[in-house]
Amino acid sequence: MSLQAVFFKRTFNFRFDARTSRGPMKEKTSWFIKVWEAADESKYGIGECGPLPGLSMDDLPTLENILRDVIIRLGAVHDIHQENIFAIVSEIVPRGFPAVVFALETALLDLSNGGKRIVFDNGFVKGEPIPINGLVWMGDEEFMMKQVHEKISEGFQCIKLKVGAIDFDRECRILESIRKTYEPAHITLRLDANGAFSAEDALAKLKALSRFDIHSIEQPIKPGRDAMEKICSESPIPIALDEELIGREGNKDALLKKIHPQFIILKPTIHGGFNHCRLWIEEAVKMNIGWWITSALESNVGLNAICQFTANYHVDIPQGLGTGSIYTNNIPSPLSVERGFIRSHAIQNWPEL
């Protein structure tokens, strides 16, 4: 049976200016691939392609042309099974488009599972929760502290703060204030610098931050710098690589052996889709490198798929999957965040898309 597909675009509006060290965002655009068998359009799979502006490899003006080409090639596919989906996607999506890979993997896996927004049929689909961190966005001290108190009152025991966009001394004052109120035994703090520190002053800043009992810090300097290897070996705070992994799917083993971070953070939209994230995890485990999975500002469609992928693994630390409430016009879904966990309540409640 031949496949048919379309893609369409939606823009999602943030509830606030989402600030990172790369600047503020007011909205985020995603493209959705919808796939069905020609004989039955009522049963379809859907996947989200949402490259991050200024970060993703496929944040390009030619993206829609690539999506059109992929849909044409998909018409030549006559038989899909879960066992061959990754191979099919690898054949029809050109290299350098991880968000397209993620979208097509999701759509085809969804279709193969009956078109019910079940991408991986595991415990998450049946209601088992996943622990997540509470994300605190950059802003002035009052805004960030307000978010911290809200997240902790909501039951989060792991808080992740974006750093690097405001004065470093002010950020230290915020962390000091948090630690005066919340002890490390009760609240875990993670930081994400998005490459904001310079290679020259990164170790000094990491030493200054270490007095606040930080669990880890993501990407302290920009990717591709020789200094990262030294920083990972000498930092008093465990280093988690994120942007460093972008476009490095072809040499996972060499990269991890050379830099040997304490953690890697995987975003299927950015780091090669589900198949490559699976391979990243396998390499990390071989080298005793920790990992967790994070969404990349997808809508609930992409977030649902990433949660189900995460649930394929034994998860014992909070994941970065709490971004479902950031949009005013997100797609309605059975996902909810409760007391520091994300769960799915009724998979059949998804709307028509």
Side-chain angles (χ1 to χ4, degrees):
M1 189 65 66
S2 64
L3 296 179
Q4 294 186 357
V6 296
F7 73 88
F8 59 92
K9 180 169 69 171
R10 285 198 183 181
T11 297
F12 300 97
N13 303 313
F14 284 93
R15 295 183 183 277
F16 52 88
D17 284 355
R19 291 183 62 191
T20 74
S21 59
R22 291 185 293 271
M25 292 186 291
K26 295 181 182 292
E27 61 184 27
K28 167 76 166 45
T29 298
S30 286
W31 290 259
F32 294 85
I33 299 176
K34 185 175 180 179
V35 183
W36 64 93
E37 293 181 347
D40 185 6
E41 189 174 351
S42 66
K43 184 178 75 174
Y44 62 87
I46 194 159
E48 179 173 2
C49 170
L52 277 178
L55 180 63
S56 295
M57 293 175 64
D58 35 13
D59 175 35
L60 298 169
T62 57
L63 178 62
E64 290 196 359
N65 293 334
I66 297 297
L67 289 170
R68 289 188 187 96
D69 289 344
V70 164
I71 283 174
I72 291 170
R73 294 173 191 166
L74 197 59
V77 176
H78 296 285
D79 195 21
I80 62 166
H81 303 283
Q82 294 212 6
E83 297 76 19
N84 69 354
I85 284 174
F86 291 153
I88 290 171
V89 174
S90 178
E91 287 177 9
I92 67 177
V93 179
R95 292 186 64 180
F97 290 88
V100 181
V101 169
F102 168 64
L104 191 56
E105 286 177 340
T106 300
L108 292 177
L109 287 165
D110 181 5
L111 180 61
S112 73
N113 281 313
K116 302 174 183 177
R117 314 296 83 83
I118 297 175
V119 184
F120 297 96
D121 193 359
N122 54 34
F124 184 79
V125 174
K126 299 172 179 63
E128 295 177 10
I130 297 172
I132 60 175
N133 58 232
L135 179 60
V136 171
W137 291 89
M138 289 177 170
D140 59 31
E141 293 175 50
E142 182 180 359
F143 175 67
M144 293 182 74
M145 286 304 300
K146 180 175 181 291
Q147 292 179 82
V148 169
H149 295 314
E150 286 176 351
K151 294 297 181 186
I152 292 173
S153 69
E154 291 167 2
F156 288 94
Q157 295 182 326
C158 180
I159 305 296
K160 172 181 166 180
L161 295 95
K162 297 275 189 179
V163 296
I166 62 176
D167 178 73
F168 182 72
D169 290 336
R170 288 168 61 197
E171 290 176 338
C172 286
R173 286 197 299 271
I174 291 169
L175 292 168
E176 184 175 25
S177 178
I178 295 170
R179 276 296 176 231
K180 283 180 178 177
T181 309
Y182 305 106
E183 297 180 355
H186 300 130
I187 297 297
T188 298
L189 293 180
R190 291 175 176 168
L191 302 180
D192 183 1
N194 288 127
F197 300 161
S198 72
E200 292 74 25
D201 67 8
L203 281 172
K205 286 186 173 180
L206 292 168
K207 182 177 180 181
L209 291 168
S210 66
R211 69 184 189 272
F212 304 119
D213 291 285
I214 305 300
H215 169 270
S216 56
I217 183 166
E218 298 179 33
Q219 202 68 43
I221 65 173
K222 287 180 169 40
R225 306 302 196 267
D226 291 337
M228 186 63 84
E229 184 178 355
K230 179 179 180 181
I231 289 170
C232 285
S233 66
E234 297 184 12
S235 171
I237 300 173
I239 302 298
L241 297 187
D242 180 353
E243 290 91 338
E244 198 79 35
L245 311 181
I246 295 174
R248 305 297 294 274
E249 291 86 9
N251 61 345
K252 302 176 183 72
D253 178 77
L255 176 71
L256 295 182
K257 280 182 178 176
K258 181 176 186 296
I259 302 179
H260 210 283
Q262 286 74 35
F263 298 98
I264 59 172
I265 299 172
L266 298 168
K267 298 179 172 74
T269 288
I270 294 176
H271 296 131
F274 291 132
N275 191 39
H276 276 293
C277 283
R278 175 181 64 85
L279 297 173
W280 275 115
I281 290 170
E282 289 178 4
E283 290 297 333
V285 169
K286 289 178 189 175
M287 300 182 204
N288 201 29
I289 294 171
W291 59 270
W292 67 86
I293 295 170
T294 300
S295 53
L297 305 184
E298 296 87 359
S299 76
N300 281 330
V301 170
L303 179 60
N304 173 65
I306 296 169
C307 288
Q308 291 179 25
F309 173 71
T310 305
N312 285 335
Y313 298 90
H314 173 70
V315 171
D316 56 6
I317 62 173
Q319 308 291 294
L321 304 172
T323 56
S325 63
I326 60 177
Y327 300 120
T328 60
N329 59 336
N330 207 338
I331 294 167
S333 80
L335 303 178
S336 69
V337 173
E338 305 163 10
R339 307 299 298 173
F341 291 83
I342 189 167
R343 68 176 72 237
S344 180
H345 289 277
I347 208 71
Q348 68 269 21
N349 285 349
W350 283 91
E352 288 294 317
L353 293 168

